[in-house]
Amino acid sequence: MVYKVAVVGVQGDVEEHVLSVRRAFEELGIEGKAVATRKSGVVSESDAVVIPGGESTTISKLIFREGIADEIIQLAKDGKPVMGTCAGLILLSMHGDEQVERTKTKLLGLMDIWVKRNAFGRQRESFQVNVDIKGIGPFDAVFIRAPAITKVGEYVDVLATYKDYIIAAKQENILGLSFHPELTDDTRVHEYFIKMGIDL
Ligand code: GLN
């Protein structure tokens, strides 16, 4: 069977994730498929799902309206890998900040983490820094108006920190990142994510 990864494609850096997943499959020597979707019915037939960056308020509205949110929640409950990057990280969380509340952004609530939207402030809207990711190693992380994790529950494994913030974490089959691994040529985060769902 061909391993299939769905990339939620309602908004944001969708195509970059599709390409990164495909390149990661090549690196791993796995036959796999990556498809972007903005309709219901695709996530539920996939082995894993990626929620890209973009604008969390917009992505939230669209995935709940289209029924994609329920499919992601079900996939997660079935133990299949779910990765959220940047805005996708916000959507994975159980605990939003005051910005999430003010905008009435509905969250998927799959990770017991507290997130802060736009945590790195206006001066540093976008930057790149080398961080050390547990299980992966040094990685050039691109941050764009990035959220951060300020606190985690007891079943969450912290994978990387930068300054006072947690920027990568994993709770069983759910992986959340503040930054954009799809914007560099390095496919190791996507390989790590694929390996969460496949015994190689
Ligand atoms: N600032 C955006 C939000 O809060 C996230 C930015 C991004 O995904 N690049 O939704």
Side-chain angles (χ1 to χ4, degrees):
M1 218 195 64
V2 176
Y3 190 82
K4 184 170 160 190
V5 177
V7 177
V8 174
V10 289
Q11 193 236 358
D13 43 353
V14 178
E15 207 45 44
E16 291 85 346
H17 267 297
V18 170
L19 293 176
S20 294
V21 172
R22 286 184 187 150
R23 291 208 336 265
F25 278 134
E26 269 170 40
E27 291 288 336
L28 293 168
I30 292 171
E31 208 191 329
K33 219 173 134 181
V35 285
T37 180
R38 39 169 57 239
K39 298 225 165 67
S40 61
V42 177
V43 170
S44 55
E45 287 177 354
S46 298
D47 300 297
V49 62
V50 176
I51 311 166
E55 209 50 52
S56 52
T57 46
T58 310
I59 299 175
S60 170
K61 272 189 205 128
L62 290 164
I63 60 172
F64 279 96
R65 191 201 295 157
E66 296 299 320
I68 297 173
D70 289 338
E71 293 183 40
I72 298 170
I73 293 166
Q74 189 55 50
L75 204 82
K77 280 193 185 142
D78 292 342
K80 294 183 177 163
V82 179
M83 172 164 77
T85 61
C86 205
L89 166 74
I90 299 172
L91 296 174
L92 289 180
S93 69
M94 276 179 198
H95 318 280
D97 64 353
E98 65 287 348
Q99 282 195 49
V100 171
E101 264 168 41
R102 190 163 14 89
T103 51
K104 296 193 173 67
T105 306
K106 269 173 95 176
L107 304 175
L108 296 165
L110 296 173
M111 278 184 100
D112 192 10
I113 55 173
W114 281 254
V115 289
K116 185 172 160 59
R117 270 187 86 184
N118 304 314
F120 298 94
R122 282 180 181 275
Q123 289 79 13
R124 306 205 69 193
E125 290 232 314
S126 145
F127 59 98
Q128 187 163 341
V129 68
N130 196 270
V131 297
D132 193 31
I133 310 175
K134 192 171 147 188
I136 294 177
F139 194 91
D140 275 330
V142 177
F143 293 79
I144 304 169
R145 300 212 306 129
I149 303 169
T150 51
K151 196 171 124 184
V152 298
E154 64 174 315
Y155 300 110
V156 179
D157 195 9
V158 172
L159 301 184
T161 56
Y162 172 61
K163 299 212 162 152
D164 292 335
Y165 291 124
I166 296 161
I167 52 156
K170 182 172 172 289
Q171 183 175 336
E172 295 185 7
N173 53 321
I174 318 291
L175 178 64
L177 311 169
S178 292
F179 54 92
H180 291 265
E182 76 288 2
L183 296 184
T184 50
D185 290 336
D186 195 335
T187 55
R188 285 176 299 149
V189 167
H190 289 81
E191 290 173 41
Y192 177 94
F193 172 63
I194 290 167
K195 285 194 275 185
M196 281 165 57
I198 300 181
D199 281 331
L200 288 178

